[in-house]
């Protein structure tokens, strides 16, 4: 893989002090834990950092940022004649034709599912699964829209799933297989995998893609360059233009609780959100690909953030003024220092004593016992499976498999263990009570999906796991 070019911010007409101010605005803020950042200007990486135990080569769950990769697959399929934006969705599923009789469902076009405007006024995925878990497209189409296709916006997983299902049916390949020679290989994107729907056997399309932060940055740069990469037109410029302009108005009630001035109310394209500045792909908990054509900038980030809007607010407040503002070598050096040796904050305390805890409460139902020494954490599940991880004093150890852990005695009676699942945004916080010998285990932020009964192996190694 050819590395993206690197440059000092000042060499790309950017004041590094603005980037530092952006980091100041999001680090240490309640509900925001940054995991990685790559900032590109004029095609050069001018700032990058990973908060240990995350690292540059690690792939991460993108959640709904996966949709922008599905939208890109749709762009290739459209250019190859596999996809007609003005064809009814039902036309790609002739075996369902006799079942789908409501004219409202039959009027849903491909462009409507590509733009979240199928006509339903609310999230529809759970209803689709309840109707037909084996074939969610059938469940989707059997629920007639209560609004107007092409006009009524609702952010709904069913629409992207249907779009992905059409691409996979027409190409005879999974989304990963289809994108590999068209997008991943030309852009130099290596490891990638996608969670699948367990019954239909398709890549999930609306979520579940795992790639590196670098891959997210490259996708943004491809769109910023109008679909051109290394002088070659990969993605049709017409698709780039259509995907990144308003296809449907979402300034009304869009289910996000946002007001008309928010970044979730500026219109929706083909699997991209329009923003107050530029456009973006985004996923739950702050997986972001922000493209700012007016500044020739791409911002790629992975985080565990509940108030995602605060990240965008900070970008508009601190990053935008930094572009085309004179920088300095001193500011460049200060930013480089700031982004070196990053790691998650951790509570103060003493080295953990040798101790063993049995379960009192756990969000991961199979977890039954936790054993600690100063150098080692052992987790035992209900079937006897053991997971052993190293512990280091004062820092996060490199991941073992896809897990990393830190532990500290926070007071005379309490031990805290943070178990980081580094292919996801998520952390399991284990609190051991030295008096009772029991532990509680809770997610810092609950993952999406039905994960409570999964084993630690399945949670830490999502590649073989089919998505719910």
């Amino acid at each position: 893989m050819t590395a993206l070019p690197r440059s000092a911010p000042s060499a790309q007409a950017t004041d590094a002090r603005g980037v530092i101010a952006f980091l100041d605005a999001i680090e240490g803020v309640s509900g925001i834990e940054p995991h990685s950042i790559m900032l590109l200007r004029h095609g050069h990486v001018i700032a990058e950092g990973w908060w240990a135990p995350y690292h540059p080569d690690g792939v991460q769950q993108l959640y709904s940022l996966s949709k922008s990769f599905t939208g890109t697959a749709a762009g290739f399929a459209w250019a190859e004649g596999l996809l007609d934006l003005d064809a009814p969705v039902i036309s790609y599923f002739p075996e369902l034709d006799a079942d789908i009789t409501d004219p409202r469902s039959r009027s849903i076009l491909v462009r409507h599912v590509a733009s979240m405007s199928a006509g339903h006024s609310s999230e529809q995925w759970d209803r689709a699964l309840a109707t037909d878990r084996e074939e969610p497209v059938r469940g989707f189409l059997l629920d007639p829209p209560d609004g107007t296709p092409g006009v009524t916006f609702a952010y709904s997983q069913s629409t992207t799933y249907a779009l992905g299902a059409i691409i996979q049916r027409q190409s005879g390949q999974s989304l990963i297989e289809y994108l590999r020679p068209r997008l991943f290989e030309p852009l130099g994107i290596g490891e990638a995998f996608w969670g699948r729907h367990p019954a239909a056997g398709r890549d999930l399309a609306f979520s579940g893609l795992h790639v590196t932060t670098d891959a997210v940055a490259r996708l943004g740069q491809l769109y910023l360059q109008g679909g051109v990469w290394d002088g070659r037109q990969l993605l049709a410029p017409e698709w780039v233009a259509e995907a990144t302009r308003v296809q449907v108005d979402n300034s009304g009630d869009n289910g996000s609780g946002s007001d008309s001035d928010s970044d979730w109310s500026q219109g929706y394209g083909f699997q991209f959100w329009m923003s107050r500045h530029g456009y973006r792909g985004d996923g739950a908990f702050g997986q972001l690909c922000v493209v700012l054509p007016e500044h020739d900038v791409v911002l790629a980030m992975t985080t565990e953030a509940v108030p995602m809007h605060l990240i965008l607010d900070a970008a508009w407040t601190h990053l935008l003024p930094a572009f085309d503002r004179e920088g300095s070598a001193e500011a460049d050096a200060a930013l480089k220092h700031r982004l070196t040796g990053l790691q998650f904050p951790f509570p103060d305390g003493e080295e953990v004593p040798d101790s063993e805890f049995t379960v009192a409460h756990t969000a991961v139902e199979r977890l039954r016992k936790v054993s600690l020494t100063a150098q080692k954490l052992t987790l035992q599940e209900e079937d006897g499976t053991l997971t052993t991880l190293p512990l280091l004093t004062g820092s996060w150890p490199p991941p073992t498999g896809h897990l990393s852990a830190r532990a500290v005695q926070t007071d005379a009676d309490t031990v805290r263990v943070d178990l980081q699942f580094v292919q996801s945004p998520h952390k399991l916080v284990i609190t051991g009570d030295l008096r009772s010998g029991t532990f509680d285990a809770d997610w810092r932020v609950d993952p999406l999906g039905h994960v409570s009964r999964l084993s630690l192996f399945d949670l830490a190694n999502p590649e073989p796991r089919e998505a719910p």
Side-chain angles (χ1 to χ4, degrees), residues 54 79 196 206 231 237 277 384:
Y54 290 88
R196 312 204 85 195
F206 62 78
H277 304 276

Side-chain angles (χ1 to χ4, degrees), residues 33 51-55 342-344 346 372 375-379 387-407 416-430 443 456 459-461:
E33 184 179 83
W51 282 256
Y54 290 88
H55 55 93
L342 295 168
Q343 63 174 322
F344 298 156
F346 200 70
L372 287 160
Q375 290 81 37
K376 185 172 68 174
L377 166 68
T378 302
L379 305 162
T387 300
T388 301
L389 301 171
L391 297 173
L392 297 178
T393 301
S395 64
W396 285 87
T400 299
H402 305 304
L403 288 171
S404 183
R406 286 194 68 178
R416 170 172 163 160
V417 179
D418 281 10
L419 187 63
Q420 192 71 42
F421 293 76
V422 297
Q423 285 196 341
S424 84
H426 299 296
K427 179 189 281 86
L428 190 70
V429 179
I430 301 171
W443 295 106
L456 289 170
L459 287 166
N461 299 275

Side-chain angles (χ1 to χ4, degrees), residues 12 83 113 159 187 189 219 227 243 274 280 301 362 375 398 449:
Q12 303 302 326
L83 193 71
V113 295
T159 59
L187 265 61
I189 296 172
L219 179 74
M274 305 303 106
R280 72 189 191 282
M301 291 193 71
T362 176
Q375 290 81 37

Side-chain angles (χ1 to χ4, degrees), residues 190-436:
E191 184 181 3
F193 61 89
W194 215 314
R196 312 204 85 195
H197 184 277
R202 302 184 183 111
D203 287 349
L204 200 56
F206 62 78
S207 186
L209 178 61
H210 292 67
V211 295
T212 62
T213 310
D214 179 88
V216 173
R218 288 170 188 254
L219 179 74
Q221 191 65 32
L222 175 69
Y223 274 84
L224 183 61
Q225 294 170 175
V228 174
W229 194 266
D230 285 342
R232 177 184 166 199
Q233 188 77 52
L234 296 182
L235 191 61
E238 299 89 348
W239 182 267
V240 173
E242 290 298 297
T244 60
R245 73 170 182 86
V246 175
Q247 293 289 334
V248 60
D249 175 58
N250 66 352
S251 58
D253 181 9
N254 57 31
S256 68
S258 302
D259 61 45
S260 60
D261 294 327
S262 86
D263 286 297
W264 281 264
S265 299
Q266 306 303 312
Y268 197 80
F270 289 152
Q271 306 298 299
F272 281 96
W273 293 91
M274 305 303 106
S275 298
R276 285 175 288 168
H277 304 276
Y279 55 89
R280 72 189 191 282
D282 74 29
F285 312 113
Q287 322 319 309
L288 292 168
C289 180
V290 181
V291 182
L292 303 173
E294 65 271 31
H295 298 288
D296 201 18
V297 163
V298 173
L299 171 65
M301 291 193 71
T302 62
T303 74
E304 186 190 59
V306 176
M308 286 172 57
H309 66 281
L310 295 182
I311 299 175
L312 294 174
D313 290 346
W316 310 151
T317 300
H318 301 292
L319 290 182
L320 293 185
F323 303 131
D324 297 320
R325 189 172 72 194
E326 186 175 358
S328 68
E330 292 78 12
D332 293 343
L335 175 60
K336 185 175 181 179
H337 177 74
R338 173 67 177 275
L339 290 169
T340 301
L342 295 168
Q343 63 174 322
F344 298 156
F346 200 70
D348 293 331
E350 304 296 325
E351 188 174 273
V352 296
D354 291 359
S355 47
E356 186 172 281
F357 305 93
T358 56
V359 63
H361 159 76
T362 176
V364 179
E365 294 177 17
R366 298 190 190 184
L367 184 58
R368 286 292 175 264
K369 185 180 292 186
V370 175
S371 303
L372 287 160
T373 69
Q375 290 81 37
K376 185 172 68 174
L377 166 68
T378 302
L379 305 162
Q380 182 175 325
E381 298 186 58
E382 63 185 6
D383 64 356
T385 300
L386 298 178
T387 300
T388 301
L389 301 171
L391 297 173
L392 297 178
T393 301
S395 64
W396 285 87
T400 299
H402 305 304
L403 288 171
S404 183
R406 286 194 68 178
V408 68
Q409 184 174 350
T410 56
D411 60 39
D413 301 318
T414 309
V415 168
R416 170 172 163 160
V417 179
D418 281 10
L419 187 63
Q420 192 71 42
F421 293 76
V422 297
Q423 285 196 341
S424 84
H426 299 296
K427 179 189 281 86
L428 190 70
V429 179
I430 301 171
T431 305
D433 187 326
L434 291 166
R435 296 165 300 180
S436 65

